[in-house]
Amino acid sequence: MDNLPYFLGGAAITVFVSLIAWVLGLPLSLIIAIARIQRIPIVDLVFSLYVSFVRSLPSPLLVMLLYFGLPVVGLDLNPLVAGIIAMTINTSAFNSEIWRSAILNFPSDQLDAARSVGMSPNQSFWRIAFPQIWQANISNFINEATFLVKSSPAVGIIGIDDLTRRAGKIAASNYEPLPTIVLGMMLYVVVLFAVSLASRQLERYFHDRYQLV
Amino acid sequence: MAKLEQPIDAAQPLPVIQVVGLSKCFGSHPVLTDINLAIMPSETVCLLGPSGSGKSTLLRCMNWLERPSSGEVWLHGTQMGYQAGRKRLASEAELAKMRTRIGMVFQQFNLWSHLTVLQNVIEAPIHVQKRPKAEVVAEAEHLLAKVGLHNKLQAYPSQLSGGQKQRVAIARALAMKSDVILLDEPTSSLDPELVGEVLAVIQDLAQAGMTLVIATHEMKFAEEVASRVIFLDQGRIVESSDPKTFFAQPETARARQFLERYIHVGAI
């Protein structure tokens, strides 16, 4: 198993790309959701098209679109940046739908109480609704993160040496595809298992604390 | 629509809340029609009437949680929902500021689930009224002790009974030091054995001279605590009198019919 460090390096790149995209995608998706709920003219239309478009596009194509397409309009991106942006866009579209339904379903009676004590719409969102919404939906967001990890091999297309790409390279050079692929698979399983374990713990913590909606 | 001056009766002190010609429609359905009333300082006014008679909507129009379709609401000489001395609608921020002067207690308690009992009470005084934290916390602890919850400061709403939740909600409204508290059927979603503890707290407030407007179905409570009873039916004020008169000799057939049903139910 001389290749293990090489494999682990690939896993680290996979985790890195996914994590950054997830962290950037969460606030971006919240902005999209809020803009759509507020029905800001034009912005709402643009974001609604954005969400439909991104959700129907396979991730590898989105990656290629950014990497090969943006130089046409004068934006040269290095592969890692292009890959992370593509994955961020990808996850933001899905997460925005989670935010949107959570915000729309937030109990209006708690917001009535917030208005009745003189909170502005901004205050009642950020101080009352938002803390409950993200905590109640943490498992949905983490679930979306697992999809993100699984679609991250798309960045291999533009040469980012993630776990899948490295597994493919090794399998092609040592003529032992099966053990190589199994090892690669197991690394994904370990990563995703850790993610879902974290999700369950967080969910339980928030639930026990104050049984959110 | 908006007048610039409150119609004041010079012989009377200034009402805490004065409602003038207020109507509210949801779509084409009229819920309140031409409501006129004045709530005087330290009064305890009970709004009675069958379900759907507009009691809750009237309370929600008083603090503009529902915007009246027409008519005016005056709060100590300033008109709710309008910029001071002008006919222009107030912004959300200005409206929010006006609402701090009117406390509200809801049928479903409406506590904030992610905050502890203490946090629920101190949230608005600190973050809306920007009062110093130490002072607000001390007051909140005092208020929560007064409603019998000094040992629940760190509990979350999900860990409380309905009666406890409602007492927290009352403490939350009191912490705002508002001029008046509106209570929207404060005991209607409580188990019967928990009603008493909440009514006792409200009764204490009334005796302490707090101005209260209470929509309620608790006839006995209204009879004992109210300084005035307003009977609503189909969105109109049908009777407004002192509780003794109202319960002993209601003027209208509609009120008699309403009371008979309650007495009948109560007798079972």
Side-chain angles (χ1 to χ4, degrees):
Chain A
M1 280 284 89
D2 306 340
N3 291 320
L4 193 60
Y6 185 64
F7 255 118
L8 289 176
I13 290 171
T14 291
V15 169
F16 177 77
V17 169
S18 307
L19 191 66
I20 302 275
W22 189 67
V23 168
L24 294 177
L26 272 177
L28 176 60
S29 58
L30 177 61
I31 292 168
I32 294 171
I34 291 174
R36 291 192 61 193
I37 287 170
Q38 305 238 316
R39 300 191 172 279
I40 301 173
I42 304 172
V43 180
D44 176 30
L45 179 71
V46 169
F47 278 139
S48 131
L49 289 172
Y50 169 94
V51 170
S52 310
F53 175 72
V54 173
R55 290 209 300 177
S56 56
L57 201 65
S59 316
L61 284 179
L62 186 59
V63 170
M64 286 196 285
L65 184 70
L66 285 181
Y67 187 61
F68 299 113
L70 288 182
V72 175
V73 293
L75 255 177
D76 260 323
L77 297 176
N78 85 35
L80 190 61
V81 174
I84 288 175
I85 293 178
M87 298 319 288
T88 303
I89 288 175
N90 182 38
T91 192
S92 71
F94 290 96
N95 276 336
S96 77
E97 294 295 289
I98 298 175
W99 284 119
R100 208 160 78 97
S101 83
I103 294 172
L104 290 175
N105 289 320
F106 187 78
S108 63
D109 54 4
Q110 289 196 43
L111 296 177
D112 274 353
R115 289 165 72 205
S116 81
V117 295
M119 286 195 199
S120 67
N122 259 336
Q123 272 181 319
S124 45
F125 179 75
W126 290 109
R127 301 203 56 85
I128 303 303
F130 177 75
Q132 297 187 51
I133 286 171
W134 83 258
Q135 287 166 5
N137 285 280
I138 189 74
S139 60
N140 291 329
F141 294 127
I142 294 182
N143 185 43
E144 174 49 32
T146 64
F147 287 118
L148 184 61
V149 170
K150 286 192 287 183
S151 61
S152 68
V155 300
I157 286 187
I158 54 172
I160 297 172
D161 248 353
D162 78 321
L163 181 53
T164 298
R165 188 172 146 97
R166 286 193 180 184
K169 275 185 180 171
I170 295 168
S173 63
N174 66 4
Y175 303 105
E176 283 186 304
L178 197 57
T180 311
I181 288 166
V182 168
L183 181 61
M185 252 170 58
M186 282 170 59
L187 283 176
Y188 274 105
V189 169
V190 167
V191 169
L192 292 179
F193 185 74
V195 168
S196 66
L197 202 67
S199 161
R200 218 170 314 153
Q201 290 299 327
L202 279 171
E203 197 181 7
R204 195 171 302 163
Y205 171 74
F206 289 136
H207 184 80
D208 288 353
R209 220 167 119 205
Y210 34 66
Q211 276 144 36
L212 292 174
V213 279
Chain B
M1 176 179 110
K3 294 206 197 91
L4 293 179
E5 275 180 39
Q6 182 172 9
I8 295 169
D9 178 353
Q12 295 274 333
L14 195 61
V16 181
I17 292 186
Q18 185 171 10
V19 175
V20 185
L22 184 143
S23 298
K24 174 70 186 175
C25 301
F26 288 116
S28 61
H29 175 65
V31 183
L32 293 172
T33 311
D34 194 26
I35 301 287
N36 292 285
L37 63 88
I39 311 288
M40 306 311 287
S42 298
E43 255 197 314
T44 301
V45 176
C46 281
L47 303 179
L48 306 179
S51 300
S53 57
K55 304 185 294 293
S56 292
T57 308
L58 176 53
L59 290 180
R60 292 173 65 89
C61 281
M62 284 182 185
N63 65 357
W64 270 56
L65 280 187
E66 298 288 352
R67 191 173 148 185
S69 305
S70 63
E72 300 153 28
V73 178
W74 292 87
L75 177 69
H76 262 324
T78 53
Q79 190 177 5
M80 279 298 289
Y82 290 88
Q83 294 180 3
R86 302 171 69 178
K87 287 189 179 183
R88 290 180 56 187
L89 280 174
S91 67
E92 274 298 323
E94 290 165 319
L95 200 50
K97 200 160 184 193
M98 296 181 190
R99 288 202 188 101
T100 59
R101 298 173 57 190
I102 308 178
M104 187 154 195
V105 172
F106 300 85
Q107 183 176 349
Q108 298 293 339
F109 331 123
N110 301 12
L111 295 181
W112 301 310
S113 341
H114 64 306
L115 301 178
T116 62
V117 165
L118 182 65
Q119 288 168 333
N120 262 278
V121 176
I122 64 176
E123 173 73 21
I126 292 177
H127 296 285
V128 176
Q129 296 179 321
K130 312 280 182 202
R131 281 155 51 193
K133 187 172 179 182
E135 170 198 313
V136 171
V137 169
E139 270 177 27
E141 286 172 352
H142 175 71
L143 285 172
L144 285 163
K146 218 163 80 175
V147 298
L149 291 169
H150 52 282
N151 56 348
K152 293 283 182 191
L153 299 183
Q154 302 308 324
Y156 284 95
S158 63
Q159 299 160 332
L160 303 178
S161 72
Q164 290 171 330
K165 283 183 198 172
Q166 196 59 299
R167 286 183 280 148
V168 176
I170 292 171
R172 177 172 69 179
L174 287 171
M176 300 294 295
K177 296 185 173 173
S178 41
D179 306 339
V180 51
I181 297 185
L182 314 174
L183 299 100
D184 185 6
E185 301 199 22
T187 58
S188 294
S189 49
L190 295 177
D191 290 338
E193 71 266 28
L194 301 178
V195 168
E197 63 189 61
V198 171
L199 292 184
V201 168
I202 299 173
Q203 190 157 14
D204 286 348
L205 294 181
Q207 277 160 4
M210 184 79 214
T211 311
L212 304 173
V213 187
I214 312 168
T216 184
H217 288 292
E218 300 288 337
M219 297 301 145
K220 205 167 151 284
F221 172 78
E223 192 169 1
E224 282 170 17
V225 175
S227 48
R228 189 150 55 99
V229 165
I230 291 175
F231 177 67
L232 284 159
D233 188 44
Q234 296 185 347
R236 290 173 188 274
I237 294 181
V238 178
E239 278 191 44
S240 170
S241 55
D242 70 283
K244 273 208 183 71
T245 315
F246 179 77
F247 285 102
Q249 296 161 311
E251 285 169 28
T252 59
R254 185 65 191 93
R256 266 197 299 280
Q257 188 189 8
F258 172 78
L259 285 173
E260 268 163 24
R261 239 203 354 250
Y262 267 93
I263 291 158
H264 182 62
V265 170
I268 292 174

